[in-house]
Amino acid sequence: MKTYTGQSLREMYLGFFKDRGHKVIPSASLIPENDPTVLFTTAGMHPLVPYLLGEKHPAGTRLTDVQKCVRTGDIEDVGDERHCTFFEMLGNWSLGDYFKKEMIPWSYEFLTGEKYLGIPSDKLAVTVFGGDDTLPRDDEAAALWEKAGIKKENIYFMPRENNWWGPAGLTGPCGTDTEMFVIRKPKCSPTCNPDCNCGAFLEIWNDVFMRFNKQADGSFTELSQKNVDTGMGLERALCVLNGKSSVYETDIFEGAIEKISALTGKKYGEDEETTKAFRVLLDHTRTATFMLGDEKGIVPSNTDQGYILRRIIRRAVRYGRKINLPEGSLAKISEAFIEYYQEVYPELKINREKIAEELNKEEAKFTKTLQQGLKEFEKCINGIERKNAFMAQSNPDYIPEKKIGGKQAFHLYDTYGFPVEITDEMAKERGFEVDLEGYKAAFEEHQNKSKAGSEQKFACGLADHKEATTALHTATHLLHAALKKVCSPDVQQKGSNITEERLRFDFNLPQPMTAEQIKAVEDMINEVIAQDIPVVMKELSLDEAKAEGFTGLFEGKYGEVVKTYTIGDFSKEICGGPHVESTGKLGKFKIQKEQSCGSGLRRIKAVLQ
């Protein structure tokens, strides 16, 4: 039996599709730029949405990559055998090029070929779309699988909830899919199928055949081109291919497991509680490492991506305490992941010091109040238990209360830094629940009082390509250039979000801007607007763009051929977004607010009037 490492699987996958005319493109940032409805890149297709919708990709119509992703909907499940918040997604795309009759035979060849994964064909099962009131079942996909070599009895027609891939957000490309499974053991019953939880079938790959675009009202329109979007989760695939029972038993986690053992004296697998603590530490430290090392500069905070980062760091600290992990250890565990990934994701090595500094800072901040917070939590539980005991004495029919009040949960968050999700998880461990609606009410009341709750929450990125957002996107180029000229040449964009009403721009600066600097930036931008300078786009190789002095905000997401935008001698940037034809179309630029959004980071909100 072959043994696979993360690196060998990456190289094999990319090589397979490179040999079939695909251009290898680098992973994009964890912060999506083209989907404001989600906080993180949750799938390989997120950075490619404009191209799936018909825009020309500089690298062509056949692409392949390994995309770093984060999914946070199942954080409380991390600690079991398979859940991870960070993962790598192997993928390939056809942008209006090939479709089912090419992709399905290629999928079969990669899965079964001796040069590749070498899985026996009788150990493979597939599912295809079974049809509904809106679309017929996918007999074409089923016939292609049978022709390739899959036994007819191992081809399953499944309902829409199993074989339809839709966008993580409100809108975007979507379509039917076909999923591939490794058969690990006999079926539990004659009706057992890949949707059964008995463990007979383990998913390894997914091919999505995109024909539709989901609209905000829930309707679907036909795309201008048919696309293929595939996804093979690296960690899950390694687990299946190496016959392991857990994703944490692959080479990815070996170094970090050894580090935790050395720091705690505990062994992974020695008992259930210890194993869960190891897994939470492994997953959350790895995710925090990638968030902190990302090119868009995520840091812990109380909003958006920063809140998720803070939550997983604090959950890691809490589980570390269960196995006597010394304070200041997360950065040491993180170092094991940086060593493992630094050749694949060099941004981790580049940001090594920042990663360690932020982990140590956040760990120290939480550790300082953790003991007091845990005491306060126990007081909540004990108070409820005393009330239950008293009421039961006077009323035999009394039903014990097992709920922590919303205001108590908010007090734990506001005073002791406990994200409500951690309070909720601790409560469940004790057989209690949290009044989450009451917590939300207390939180909103606090926000209203502080006048900080009226801002609409978005992820960084461009909401759409309407005229207003296109103008604001172009204005961010002018803002970036002006900040470099007025504040410091070291200013770099660390994130952005654009709606029809305003732009939000995050950048590095160690101190607040002065009133004079804010006015100087506004005046400089409005002068460029008044000159009505043409916005010139030109496609160049990445090396040519660098040589000509173009600023690559997030170069990792671009291919070897990039789009460059020049605005006179004022701004030269690599960018994939939409732009106006000339600056005169922008109107008057006005900064509404300049504020902190993290350690060493500032945020500007501005409008065009």
Side-chain angles (χ1 to χ4, degrees):
M1 181 178 174
K2 296 180 182 178
T3 299
Y4 297 87
T5 65
Q7 186 57 14
S8 69
L9 185 54
R10 287 187 203 96
E11 291 176 352
M12 181 186 291
Y13 188 94
L14 296 176
F16 179 89
F17 286 100
K18 187 176 180 181
D19 290 344
R20 286 151 185 79
H22 292 65
K23 192 73 173 178
V24 178
I25 59 173
S27 173
S29 166
L30 280 174
I31 305 297
E33 188 167 352
N34 295 301
D35 189 348
T37 61
V38 291
L39 290 174
F40 295 100
T41 298
T42 63
M45 58 82 68
H46 277 170
L48 295 169
V49 167
Y51 311 107
L52 294 166
L53 293 175
E55 186 176 328
K56 177 187 172 186
H57 194 287
T61 59
R62 295 187 179 194
L63 310 174
T64 185
D65 74 350
V66 184
Q67 173 63 47
K68 51 188 181 180
C69 301
V70 165
R71 293 181 185 171
T72 58
D74 299 322
I75 288 179
E76 287 79 12
D77 292 323
V78 171
D80 64 8
E81 293 181 341
R82 63 186 184 89
H83 278 92
C84 295
T85 50
F86 172 87
F87 61 96
E88 295 176 89
M89 186 63 78
L90 303 165
N92 61 282
W93 290 269
S94 164
L95 305 175
D97 190 329
Y98 57 84
F99 208 52
K100 296 178 188 177
K101 67 183 180 65
E102 292 88 1
M103 189 61 234
I104 287 176
W106 282 344
S107 298
Y108 181 82
E109 182 182 1
F110 185 75
L111 289 169
T112 64
E114 284 302 315
K115 287 173 57 180
Y116 305 109
L117 300 187
I119 301 171
S121 62
D122 61 354
K123 295 295 183 184
L124 288 174
V126 299
T127 60
V128 296
F129 182 68
D132 58 17
D133 293 340
T134 59
L135 288 171
R137 76 178 197 170
D138 197 346
D139 289 317
E140 179 188 5
L144 286 167
W145 278 119
E146 190 173 359
K147 182 179 178 182
I150 299 294
K151 292 180 178 180
K152 192 169 186 176
E153 60 265 31
N154 287 337
I155 300 172
Y156 296 84
F157 289 96
M158 304 293 283
R160 177 179 285 260
E161 55 262 33
N162 295 89
N163 285 85
W164 174 271
W165 200 96
L170 298 175
T171 63
C174 50
T176 61
D177 69 10
T178 181
E179 299 180 5
M180 292 141 269
F181 298 79
V182 174
I183 303 172
R184 299 282 298 265
K185 62 181 183 180
K187 297 196 297 184
C188 65
S189 71
T191 59
C192 180
N193 63 44
D195 194 38
C196 182
N197 292 320
C198 71
F201 301 90
L202 287 177
E203 184 185 349
I204 192 169
W205 204 357
N206 183 10
D207 294 347
V208 183
F209 304 116
M210 290 183 171
R211 289 176 47 202
F212 305 100
N213 187 20
K214 184 182 179 184
Q215 306 299 306
D217 63 1
S219 63
F220 298 91
T221 59
E222 288 272 353
L223 289 170
S224 60
Q225 63 188 34
K226 291 182 179 180
N227 306 303
V228 173
D229 163 21
T230 84
M232 177 184 287
L234 180 76
E235 292 82 358
R236 175 79 67 85
L238 282 178
C239 174
V240 173
L241 293 168
N242 290 321
K244 301 295 185 181
S245 61
S246 167
V247 294
Y248 297 99
E249 294 167 12
T250 61
D251 74 301
I252 291 172
F253 296 99
E254 284 177 357
I257 287 174
E258 290 175 4
K259 180 66 70 175
I260 296 172
S261 291
L263 289 165
T264 63
K266 301 282 188 178
K267 296 296 181 184
Y268 176 86
E270 67 180 59
D271 59 61
E272 188 175 333
E273 185 176 2
T274 299
T275 300
K276 181 174 182 178
F278 264 77
R279 289 172 177 170
V280 171
L281 278 166
L282 291 167
D283 173 81
H284 288 4
T285 306
R286 183 173 69 144
T287 303
T289 299
F290 272 91
M291 287 182 178
L292 289 164
D294 193 84
E295 52 266 45
K296 288 194 178 178
I298 309 170
V299 294
S301 72
N302 285 332
T303 60
D304 298 331
Q305 292 93 351
Y307 178 78
I308 300 296
L309 174 56
R310 171 161 286 165
R311 177 183 167 194
I312 66 167
I313 292 174
R314 294 188 170 192
R315 189 170 188 260
V317 172
R318 190 171 80 84
Y319 273 87
R321 286 177 61 88
K322 293 175 180 283
I323 54 174
N324 301 317
L325 185 73
E327 183 180 344
S329 294
L330 293 190
K332 296 173 183 176
I333 301 168
S334 171
E335 187 63 31
F337 287 118
I338 294 173
E339 289 295 324
Y340 180 83
Y341 284 109
Q342 61 185 345
E343 299 303 323
V344 184
Y345 301 106
E347 65 268 23
L348 299 184
K349 187 176 182 180
I350 293 169
N351 293 311
R352 186 187 299 249
E353 290 184 8
K354 173 199 168 185
I355 293 168
E357 179 185 351
E358 292 293 341
L359 282 173
N360 285 330
K361 191 191 306 180
E362 187 65 22
E363 185 176 356
K365 188 183 295 184
F366 188 48
T367 300
K368 191 175 181 180
T369 59
L370 179 60
Q371 198 60 44
Q372 290 175 287
L374 290 172
K375 288 179 181 177
E376 188 70 18
F377 175 82
E378 288 298 328
K379 282 170 60 178
C380 290
I381 296 290
N382 292 336
I384 295 169
E385 294 284 26
R386 285 196 298 271
K387 176 187 173 183
N388 287 338
F390 175 79
M391 295 297 293
Q393 286 179 351
S394 56
N395 181 4
D397 297 325
Y398 173 73
I399 300 174
E401 180 183 331
K402 305 288 280 186
K403 180 179 285 190
I404 295 174
K407 288 187 176 180
Q408 292 173 306
F410 179 73
H411 178 65
L412 283 167
Y413 164 73
D414 189 43
T415 307
Y416 301 103
F418 275 48
V420 68
E421 296 86 358
I422 286 182
T423 302
D424 190 45
E425 186 175 9
M426 291 192 302
K428 287 174 181 173
E429 290 173 359
R430 302 286 293 274
F432 281 69
E433 61 179 314
V434 173
D435 178 9
L436 295 176
E437 290 302 316
Y439 169 84
K440 289 176 185 176
F443 183 85
E444 287 171 6
E445 180 183 358
H446 173 79
Q447 292 290 78
N448 290 331
K449 286 179 180 178
S450 64
K451 298 182 180 180
S454 61
E455 177 186 339
Q456 190 176 12
K457 298 298 179 190
F458 288 94
C460 297
L462 192 61
D464 52 44
H465 288 194
K466 294 179 181 177
E467 184 177 349
T469 54
T470 297
L472 285 162
H473 179 76
T474 307
T476 63
H477 286 249
L478 301 182
L479 176 58
H480 192 199
L483 288 168
K484 283 178 172 289
K485 292 173 171 56
V486 172
C487 297
S488 167
D490 295 327
V491 164
Q492 294 291 335
Q493 179 177 338
K494 294 298 182 182
S496 72
N497 163 242
I498 297 169
T499 70
E500 287 188 77
E501 291 79 29
R502 59 98 180 105
L503 69 82
R504 192 182 75 195
F505 187 89
D506 299 343
F507 59 100
N508 59 300
L509 197 69
Q511 69 284 325
M513 291 176 67
T514 64
E516 291 77 14
Q517 287 175 322
I518 291 173
K519 186 176 187 305
V521 167
E522 285 182 343
D523 291 346
M524 188 177 291
I525 292 172
N526 284 317
E527 175 61 29
V528 174
I529 292 172
Q531 294 174 20
D532 196 20
I533 300 171
V535 179
V536 180
M537 190 280 284
K538 183 167 62 171
E539 289 190 355
L540 298 172
S541 72
L542 186 56
D543 289 340
E544 287 172 335
K546 289 179 180 177
E548 292 188 21
F550 284 90
T551 301
L553 297 183
F554 313 117
E555 291 174 358
K557 75 172 186 177
Y558 301 107
E560 291 183 8
V561 178
V562 296
K563 289 182 178 180
T564 64
Y565 288 86
T566 303
I567 304 174
D569 59 2
F570 191 76
S571 170
K572 297 176 72 174
E573 292 194 6
I574 298 170
C575 186
H579 300 75
V580 298
E581 295 175 359
S582 64
T583 60
K585 299 183 182 295
L586 298 182
K588 184 180 179 183
F589 182 85
K590 178 66 177 175
I591 293 176
Q592 293 183 315
K593 185 181 289 186
E594 190 273 347
Q595 65 190 93
S596 171
C597 65
S599 178
L601 296 177
R602 308 298 299 174
R603 171 171 292 171
I604 281 176
K605 293 174 186 173
V607 296
L608 290 171
Q609 299 172 334

